[in-house]
Amino acid sequence: MKTSIAVVGGTGAEGSGLALRFAGAGRPVRIGSRSAEKAQEAARRIGGNCSGHTNADAVSDAGIVVLTVPLAAQIETLKAIRASMAPGAILVDATVPLEIAIGGRISRTLTLWDGSAAQQAARMLPGVPIVAAFHAMSAEALAHLDHPLDCDTLICGDNAEAKAAVSELAALIPGVRAIDAGPLDNARLLETSAALLISLNLRHKVKHSGMRITGLPVGAGA
Amino acid sequence: MKTSIAVVGGTGAEGSGLALRFAGAGRPVRIGSRSAEKAQEAARRIGGNCSGHTNADAVSDAGIVVLTVPLAAQIETLKAIRASMAPGAILVDATVPLEIAIGGRISRTLTLWDGSAAQQAARMLPGVPIVAAFHAMSAEALAHLDHPLDCDTLICGDNAEAKAAVSELAALIPGVRAIDAGPLDNARLLETSAALLISLNLRHKVKHSGMRITGLPVGAGA
């Protein structure tokens, strides 16, 4: 599998934060954006082994593609990258179906025909291992390399090897524990829990609430 | 406000666990069940200032009514108690709309017409302050008085005084932190997060997973 990680939507707050953490851990990162220039700017800010590309170029040489775009851009972006993805590459979908996509609130979710944004991605990329993860990571917290995070990330998908690879990716971020949350069918639960954290952030005027699951056995990781 | 707490569905695992904790903290508890005999048996097992009644009798002398029944029994139970509730009493709804109510899975949720089980309760009890809380409390963990829990309970509702009263109730259980999660409209997020914990319990073969929210300011309680 190719060693680079593509972060599509990598100029956004969440994508930039994840790219910073992966690059900070020494992994080659390819930032994707609709604009190659903006992606290159973001890559320069991050430094390390980080380069900027159009979305389609970013994914062409990546073993793992992390999709961090707003819901309203998810389908269009998947159409833009699907022909360019490397054989065997994994798609990590972090999309949260927030009502803001149709002019509503950021603390409410939409019900999608496929059940979840991750399942929508799976329908659009037949044959590609899809993993839902990184939904509720605070962009604010990711942005400070010297601060460990304090949250779990729940991971679901139907391909055990892909989940394990994404779990390793999560482990690159200090303070993050990856937890196996079952098949892709559970992605709606993860996406909804992200909306809950967004709602708590708004209510309590913070930007970095997170979630920890207690009471799990050691080794509950994906 | 009347000082007793009624636990309707108090012979079930979750209800019994909550009743045990409230009675253990010295509060008068009225266990309600369709069968007064079963309620009395449960009350004897719990001891303390705990009595058993039919559901309608249980709520007649309670300032707070905690509803812990399966979804399939929620509407029928609300019909059975609504005429008997004391003026000013609060209803705490802990119902989780699990698919098992229609013969499906315990790790999946149903979409209700009202948006959430708590909003369904609110529609059925006009004028009664409704608070959604205690969804994801492990019955297993509640059952052991000598063990503190390790979880937050998210609380939502449209009446600030009612939320504060339920927050105090939650504080009777060692290890539990009550967090204000906004208006009743958010109850679906809390109910879904309970389904997530149930799903994690099944997957990781435990009975007491819980949720902690990190990154909130001190005093984020309801």
Side-chain angles (χ1 to χ4, degrees), chain B residues 106-192:
Chain B
I106 198 171
S107 56
R108 291 178 172 183
T109 55
L110 296 174
T111 301
L112 302 180
W113 190 274
D114 295 290
S116 65
Q119 286 165 299
Q120 181 163 280
R123 178 173 48 81
M124 295 195 61
L125 303 181
V128 174
I130 308 287
V131 177
F134 300 136
H135 302 93
M137 311 285 287
S138 160
E140 170 95 354
L142 288 168
H144 297 96
L145 255 193
D146 49 340
H147 282 78
L149 273 73
D150 181 9
C151 66
D152 295 335
T153 190
L154 297 162
I155 293 182
C156 70
D158 296 330
N159 180 309
E161 279 180 42
K163 279 204 280 193
V166 176
S167 190
E168 280 173 32
L169 206 58
L172 298 177
I173 310 171
V176 172
R177 179 178 62 157
I179 294 176
D180 182 357
L184 199 67
D185 193 37
N186 283 355
R188 73 199 73 188
L189 298 174
L190 279 51
E191 295 169 7
T192 312

Side-chain angles (χ1 to χ4, degrees), chain A residues 184-200:
Chain A
L184 198 67
D185 193 36
N186 283 354
R188 71 198 76 186
L189 298 174
L190 278 52
E191 294 169 8
T192 312
S193 71
L196 174 61
L197 291 175
I198 290 169
S199 176
L200 291 172

Side-chain angles (χ1 to χ4, degrees), chain A residues 4-218:
Chain A
S4 287
I5 302 157
V7 181
V8 171
T11 57
E14 174 102 16
S16 290
L18 287 170
L20 175 70
R21 295 294 183 153
F22 300 148
R27 297 288 294 267
V29 173
R30 298 169 69 83
I31 291 203
S33 168
R34 276 181 296 189
S35 149
E37 289 70 35
K38 283 191 182 172
Q40 284 154 9
E41 273 173 41
R44 270 193 297 274
R45 278 196 302 276
I46 289 172
N49 194 349
C50 188
S51 55
H53 312 267
T54 63
N55 286 325
D57 281 351
V59 305
S60 64
D61 195 32
I64 300 183
V65 175
V66 182
L67 183 67
T68 61
V69 295
L71 178 68
Q74 191 208 22
I75 289 174
E76 175 196 339
T77 307
L78 288 170
K79 284 181 180 167
I81 65 172
R82 61 184 169 188
S84 314
M85 283 181 69
I90 297 164
L91 184 95
V92 183
D93 185 81
T95 311
V96 184
L98 300 174
E99 198 193 61
I100 199 171
I102 56 163
R105 293 197 190 167
I106 198 171
S107 55
R108 291 178 169 181
T109 54
L110 296 174
T111 301
L112 302 180
W113 191 274
D114 296 291
S116 64
Q119 287 165 300
Q120 182 162 280
R123 176 173 49 80
M124 295 195 61
L125 302 182
V128 173
I130 308 288
V131 177
F134 300 133
H135 302 91
M137 312 285 286
S138 160
E140 169 95 355
L142 286 169
H144 297 97
L145 255 193
D146 49 340
H147 282 78
L149 272 72
D150 181 10
C151 67
D152 295 335
T153 190
L154 298 162
I155 293 183
C156 70
D158 295 330
N159 180 310
E161 277 180 44
K163 279 204 281 192
V166 176
S167 190
E168 279 172 35
L169 205 57
L172 297 178
I173 310 171
V176 171
R177 179 179 62 157
I179 294 176
D180 182 357
L184 198 67
D185 193 36
N186 283 354
R188 71 198 76 186
L189 298 174
L190 278 52
E191 294 169 8
T192 312
S193 71
L196 174 61
L197 291 175
I198 290 169
S199 176
L200 291 172
N201 277 346
L202 288 175
R203 184 151 201 93
H204 298 290
K205 300 180 176 56
V206 295
K207 292 185 173 174
H208 52 273
S209 74
M211 189 179 285
R212 286 282 192 197
I213 306 297
T214 60
L216 295 182
V218 175

